[in-house]
Amino acid sequence: MKATLLYAAGDVRVEDVPDARIQHPTDAVVRVVASCVCGSDLWPYKSAPATDHPRHMGHEFLGTVEELGSEVTGLAVGDLVVAPFVWADGTCEYCRSGLPTSCLHGGQWGLNGVDGGQGEAVRVPFAAANLVKLPDGTAPDSALVPDLLTLSDVLCTGYHAARTAGVQKGESVAVIGDGAVGLSGVIAAKLLGAEQIILLGRHTQRTDLGREFGATDVVAERGEEGETRVRELTGGLGAHRVLECVGTEQALTTAYATVRDGGAIGRVGVPQYAQGPIGMNMIMRNITLTGGVAPARTYIEQLLPHILSGEIHPGKVFDRTVTLDEVPNAYRAMNDREALKVLIQP
């Protein structure tokens, strides 16, 4: 089968690899219908050292069950399923408490002999715990597929930022970042009842989509000018909740400057720094810093009804579609900011 491999920074190739196959009785093989390139894929794309043992890429995928191990329950061959962006066993203490991202026996797609999502098929460990069956009658070519694929990662990550920050009805929320996660954060803030949603971003096409998703205000300015503008929009106090969806130190600094005293920051951007601006300012202002890697498997069934009802359309974050052979171009387009998020249809 074909799969996407990362050999070095800027060197992504689509090559033939061994077919996905059942290795354990709890495995399933899923034929990929749709996957995508994530903003977090760009970090290794920019920095990975050269290697003769390339990493299999992709952690978001939706597909049809092709084969099941003898111990897999609750699934059938032919089911259309979506997978969370990390896999877990579903039984350990962390999984039982709703935090499968900390599973004692789980792992990441594309590592340690597990296939990546940017390929023709994936062996799924602990399939019964990880694969969520989509409603009967949902066809692999359904117009809902892009929306449903966001359940694998990006929608759940934006939702995690909002949930951990404690967004409540009637509050003000500032969302830092107009990437796919930030736009998903706008959707999540609206779902949770925020009255004012301020999107900090400077790419008009993206911020226009943010307004469509529910942003009430857009702040294009950066640095102190942008921070001042957010405070002006919130009566001089700052937002009740801030969703940090970028991962840079500057984004975290902006979050501290735009959250009101007693407020909370939900940080889900993959950190690209080792030290951040915390200290007396955070303590004296009673600011809560929370967030982390999103337990997508915990949220999928909570968010699925909102997609099926047509209340939200998160799949609009995909602004380009490519075949598997065109994936290297997808990485270049996203890295060069020519595309927001690229859908892959093998």
Side-chain angles (χ1 to χ4, degrees):
M1 70 178 192
K2 291 181 178 179
T4 301
L5 306 177
L6 178 66
Y7 278 87
D11 186 3
V12 170
R13 310 175 198 176
V14 178
E15 297 183 340
D16 288 326
V17 301
D19 287 341
R21 62 181 181 84
I22 300 293
Q23 296 182 21
H24 305 285
T26 52
D27 288 348
V29 172
V30 172
R31 179 64 53 177
V32 176
V33 168
S35 61
C36 54
V37 180
C38 181
S40 63
D41 291 330
L42 298 181
W43 297 116
Y45 178 74
K46 294 176 181 179
S47 61
T51 180
D52 294 327
H53 303 284
R55 174 175 177 171
H56 289 231
M57 296 298 290
H59 53 262
E60 302 156 277
F61 64 94
L62 177 154
T64 55
V65 176
E66 193 168 76
E67 188 177 357
L68 292 170
S70 60
E71 295 181 11
V72 179
T73 60
L75 296 168
V77 171
D79 284 346
L80 187 67
V81 293
V82 64
F85 66 91
V86 296
W87 55 270
D89 69 4
T91 62
C92 81
E93 182 174 351
Y94 286 119
C95 289
R96 293 195 305 271
S97 65
L99 197 64
T101 46
S102 294
C103 178
L104 298 173
H105 311 106
Q108 300 180 44
W109 305 108
L111 296 178
N112 301 318
V114 178
D115 302 296
Q118 294 167 11
E120 292 184 308
V122 178
R123 176 179 71 86
V124 179
F126 303 112
N130 293 294
L131 297 177
V132 178
K133 180 182 175 182
L134 298 171
D136 291 336
T138 307
D141 60 352
S142 167
L144 284 178
V145 163
D147 293 322
L148 296 168
L149 178 59
T150 66
L151 293 167
S152 188
D153 180 352
V154 64
L155 179 60
C156 293
T157 296
Y159 187 67
H160 188 57
R163 278 286 300 271
T164 56
V167 174
Q168 298 181 45
K169 186 176 180 179
E171 290 188 330
S172 58
V173 177
V175 180
I176 300 174
D178 58 8
V181 172
L183 294 173
S184 296
V186 171
I187 292 174
K190 184 176 181 181
L191 283 177
L192 293 172
E195 182 175 317
Q196 182 183 34
I197 304 172
I198 305 167
L199 175 60
L200 283 76
R202 57 177 182 166
H203 303 89
T204 303
Q205 186 174 1
R206 299 182 181 190
T207 56
D208 285 349
L209 183 56
R211 289 187 184 277
E212 183 179 340
F213 284 165
T216 57
D217 302 279
V218 169
V219 172
E221 298 88 349
R222 284 192 166 188
E224 292 184 6
E225 189 177 359
E227 295 160 4
T228 298
R229 181 63 182 142
V230 172
R231 288 195 294 272
E232 290 174 349
L233 289 168
T234 53
L237 298 177
H240 292 95
R241 317 290 169 183
V242 176
L243 314 186
E244 195 280 276
C245 302
V246 178
T248 63
E249 185 175 347
Q250 179 58 54
L252 184 57
T253 298
T254 298
Y256 280 117
T258 53
V259 68
R260 69 177 57 195
D261 290 14
I265 299 167
R267 183 180 65 157
V268 294
V270 178
Q272 301 306 304
Y273 52 90
Q275 297 181 347
I278 60 174
M280 285 298 292
N281 180 49
M282 179 180 177
I283 295 296
M284 295 303 294
R285 296 176 59 206
N286 281 284
I287 295 170
T288 298
L289 178 63
T290 182
V293 59
R297 181 62 186 86
T298 302
Y299 294 142
I300 290 175
E301 279 125 338
Q302 297 177 32
L303 293 168
L304 178 59
H306 297 288
I307 292 175
L308 297 177
S309 70
E311 182 181 0
I312 60 174
H313 296 284
K316 290 184 177 182
V317 298
F318 297 110
D319 57 351
R320 185 174 299 191
T321 301
V322 300
T323 65
L324 189 55
D325 288 332
E326 296 171 318
V327 166
N329 292 330
Y331 274 82
R332 285 191 287 271
M334 286 184 59
N335 188 60
D336 295 342
R337 290 188 175 266
E338 296 173 0
L340 169 58
K341 191 168 179 68
V342 180
L343 182 71
I344 304 167
Q345 293 183 324

